[in-house]
């Protein structure tokens, strides 16, 4: 496997983080039926204010059935590559190192901002901090809405 240059890896990880922030938070606000599609089928860990959530479907259920309307405003985000050679699964098994691409990595995405719960614009904003671990989508399905990266782990905290 040819080693990708640092600038290429940085661009790929930054693009993945940008895509997550620009699509995940709008889904939490206006497209809650799509929330589960952001997650791996078997995520490692999802925590909301220290409370474990089973998977993306459970997150979606919480937002549809328990959460009031919300408006998220991501103020800043950053990312960092965790593993440059993440073992991506394919239909034939784990992709061998000789076939890895620059998208075969895991990425830590850190987001901070404000959230307002409720329809009323006069509701107070609360600060939040959130960390995600993104991994390549193992699905080989090709479609116009296929996500290249899925959430493997997530930790959301309201700032007190």
């Amino acid at each position: 496997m040819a080693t990708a240059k640092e600038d290429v890896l940085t661009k790929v990880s930054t693009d993945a983080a940008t895509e997550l922030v620009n699509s995940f938070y709008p889904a939490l606000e206006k497209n809650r039926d799509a929330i589960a599609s952001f997650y791996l089928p078997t995520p490692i860990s999802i925590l909301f204010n220290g409370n474990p959530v089973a998977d993306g479907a459970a997150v979606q259920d919480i937002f549809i059935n328990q959460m009031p309307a919300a408006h998220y405003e991501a103020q800043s985000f950053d990312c960092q590559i965790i593993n440059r050679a993440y073992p991506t699964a394919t239909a034939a098994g784990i992709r061998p190192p000789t076939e890895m691409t620059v998208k075969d990595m895991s990425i830590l995405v850190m987001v901070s901002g404000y959230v307002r719960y409720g329809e009323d614009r006069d509701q107070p904003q609360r600060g939040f901090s959130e960390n995600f671990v993104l991994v390549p989508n193992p699905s080989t399905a090709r479609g116009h809405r296929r996500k290249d990266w899925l959430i493997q782990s997530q930790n959301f905290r309201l700032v007190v």
Side-chain angles (χ1 to χ4, degrees):
M1 169 177 86
T3 305
K5 293 186 178 180
E6 218 40 55
D7 61 334
V8 172
L9 295 173
T10 299
K11 172 137 179 47
V12 169
S13 62
T14 302
D15 289 350
T18 302
E19 175 61 26
L20 174 73
V21 170
N22 289 340
S23 61
F24 184 71
Y25 294 105
L28 294 178
E29 293 179 28
K30 295 182 170 90
N31 191 13
R32 292 180 170 186
D33 289 336
I35 293 171
S37 69
F38 286 88
Y39 294 85
L40 274 178
T42 55
I44 289 179
S45 172
I46 301 173
L47 295 172
F48 282 93
N49 285 323
N51 299 305
V53 179
D55 55 21
V59 173
Q60 181 171 304
D61 182 64
I62 289 168
F63 273 87
I64 289 173
N65 297 312
Q66 298 176 27
M67 295 289 289
H71 173 72
Y72 287 84
E73 187 177 325
Q75 293 287 307
S76 65
F77 67 94
D78 198 1
C79 63
Q80 178 177 332
I81 298 167
I82 298 172
N83 183 352
R84 285 177 169 78
Y86 183 80
T88 305
T90 66
I94 300 296
R95 181 174 296 146
T98 55
E99 295 177 15
M100 286 187 165
T101 70
V102 293
K103 289 190 175 180
D104 289 314
M105 64 174 136
S106 57
I107 305 164
L108 174 65
V109 180
M110 295 118 344
V111 182
S112 62
Y114 296 98
V115 60
R116 184 181 64 244
Y117 294 110
E119 296 284 344
D120 188 358
R121 292 208 173 271
D122 293 333
Q123 292 290 334
Q125 288 185 331
R126 302 221 23 214
F128 75 89
S129 174
E130 190 157 29
N131 296 312
F132 300 92
V133 174
L134 301 181
V135 296
N137 186 344
S139 170
T140 57
R142 296 285 178 221
H144 69 287
R145 300 300 295 169
R146 180 184 178 270
K147 293 175 178 59
D148 289 334
W149 303 93
L150 296 176
I151 299 168
Q152 180 187 50
S153 177
Q154 177 182 9
N155 187 348
F156 174 89
R157 285 282 186 183
L158 286 172
V159 177
V160 181

